[in-house]
Amino acid sequence: MRASARIIAGIVAIVLISAAVAAFAIAWRPAIAAIDPPGPQSFDDALVKRGRDLAAIGNCSDCHTRRGAKNFAGGLPVPTPFGTIFSTNITPEPETGIGRWSEAAFRRAMRSGVNREGQHLYPTFPYDHFTNVSDEDDRALYAFLMTRQPVRAAARDNQLSFPFNQRLAIAGWKLLFLRHDTYQPDPKQSAEWNRGAYLVEGLAHCGACHTPRNALGAERVSAQFAGGDVDDWHAYAINDQSRSPVPWTADALFAYLREGWHPDHGTARGPMAKVVSNLSSVPASDVRAIAAYMAGVSGASTSDRTGPSEAALTRARTASQANAVGASIYTAACASCHEGGRPLPYGGVDLRLSTAISSPDPRNLINIVLSGIEAVEGERSPIMPGFAASMNDEQASALLNYLRARFSDQPAWTGVEKSIQDARRTQTVFLQTSPAPRNAPADPQQREKP
Amino acid sequence: MMTLKVNGREHQVDAETDTPLLYVLRDDLKLNAAKFGCGLGQCGSCTVIVDGKAVLSCVTPMVLLEGKQVTTLEGLGTIAEPAPIQRAFMEEQAAQCGYCIPGMMMRAQALLQRNSKPTDEQIRAELEPHLCRCGTHMRILRAVHRAARLMDTAEASPAANRSAR
C-alpha cells in the first residue's frame, strides 16, 4: 500500500510538474533587448508619412491619447466587463514609452500582444486584428511612432480583479482566441476589395467594436459585425442585420467614413466620430477600399426605404395620441431642425432614416439627445444642442418612446428610463476622458497634420 | 392656460404644451432679454436659467416647465441695480452689438452659481454653445472672471440677493 501510494504521489507530482513546465513554455516570452532610441532622422520621410496614414486608419490616437493630453502618451481608461484598463504611452520616450523598443519588439507586440519585456498585453489592444498587418506596414507604423514627440508619462495601473489581473491568464486567452493568420487575398475579388478586406480585418479593426464579444471578451467569429458595445455606446450591426432603414452602398459608406455624415443615414458621433475624423485625413483610395469591402459585408438591409407613405402617417397620428408629452417635446425641441428641410450637416436627418431610432439598443439615441453634437472648431460639421439640462428622466423617456413609435416600425424599447439614468452617469465620465467628438472637415487639408 | 414661474412670480399664460418658452417670455410676458437668434438651439442667444441650469429657451417646450423656476436676465438685476454679472459685462465693455450677450450672461451666471472660481478653460468650454459674430470673446472671458470676483466680494449687495435660483 505504502509503495503504491508513493507511486501515485510520484505520478501526480510528475503530471503537475509537466503541466507547470508546459504552461510556462506556452506563457513565457523572452524580453527583446532594449535599444538606444533611434533618432528621428534615421527614418525615411516617405515611410513616416505612410505610417502616419496607417496610424490614422488604425485610429491609434483615439485610445492612446487622453483628452487634452499629449498625443500618444496613453493613460486613457478603457472600461471593460473585467475592469478598467489604461492605455499605454506609445511615444518614443525611453523610460515610460516605447523608445527602447526595436522594430522586432514592436512587430511582436502587433502580432502576438507581447511587450518588449516579454509580458502579455491585454487584448484591449486589438492584436487579434493587428496580427494581419504586413511587415511592411508595421515598419511604417514603427517609423511614424518613433518620430513623434517623446512624452514622459508612466503607465497607470490597471484596475482588474483576480484572475483577470494575472497576465499569465492572457496566454490561455491567446491559445483559445488568437489566430496568427496573415491576410490571404481572395483572387476572385478586385484589388480594391482585397485592400479593403486587409484594412478592415486588420489595422482598422472594425470588428473590435462592431462584433459582439463572448464571456471571455473575445469576438464571436460566428457573429462577425453583428453589433457590439463600446464606451456606453452601441456599435451598430454592420452586417446583413443592419437596422439602417436605407441599405448602405459603397458610395454612401465612403461619404460617411470620409465626411462624418450622410443625408440618408445621419451623422457619426460617439466613438465613431473619432474614427471618421481620422479617416478624413488618409488617402481616399484606402477609404474607398474599406467602403467597397464593407458594402459587400452589409449586403441588403432588412427593410427598404419607407418614404412618406400612408403607414408612416398613420404611425405619426397614433404615436401623438398615445404620447402627448413626447409629441409636444418633439414639436418644439426636435422638429425645427429635423423637419426643417435644411440639408445635413447643419439641418437634422429625416428621423425616418435614423438607425439610432430603429436600433434594438436605445443608448446611442439617449446619448445624443442628452449631450448633443458639439460643433467642430473652424470646420463645417454637424451640430445639435444637448437636452440634459432641460428634460428630466421621465420627460426624456417620453420623447424617446415617441420617436421610436413614430419613426420606426420596431417594437417599443424596454427600460428606457433606466438607460437614461445610466447615460447621465456614464456620459459625464465619457465627456471627461475622451476627446471631444470631432467630425471630418469638408476640406481635409484644414486638419492639422501630426 | 398654464402656470409659469418666472423670476419669482407666477404667471397664467395661454400657451400650448409645445410652444417654446422663448415665445411665451417675449410675446406674452414681454421679457425681451432672451433673444430669438436661430430658433434651432444652435446660437445660444435665447439662453435662460431653469432650476439653476442654463437652457436654450427656443427649443424648450412649455410642457417641460411645470413646477420649475425660470430666471431671465431681467430677474438678475435692473438698470439702476445691475447684478454682478451685468456690472462685469458693462465694466469690461463686453458687448458690441449685444445680441448674444444676454444668453452669454445667463450661461455664465449658471456656471458661477455652481463654480465660483472657474478657470479660463472651464469658461470657454461652458460658453462653447454661444455664437458671437462681433468677436468680443476675449472681453466676455474677462467679464466672466470679473463677475466671479464681484460675486465673491458683493455678497451683501442688494443685487446679489436677487441672483437666480
Side-chain angles (χ1 to χ4, degrees), chain B residues 110-130:
Chain B
L111 169 67
L112 293 172
Q113 281 173 208
R114 57 168 212 277
N115 176 359
S116 59
K117 287 197 179 58
T119 62
D120 237 39
E121 205 178 28
Q122 286 167 330
I123 299 171
R124 283 170 188 266
E126 188 73 17
L127 295 181
E128 196 270 342
H130 293 252

Side-chain angles (χ1 to χ4, degrees), chain A residues 123-136:
Chain A
T124 330
F125 172 51
Y127 48 80
D128 48 338
H129 290 274
F130 296 165
T131 192
N132 283 321
V133 177
S134 69
D135 286 359
E136 222 190 333

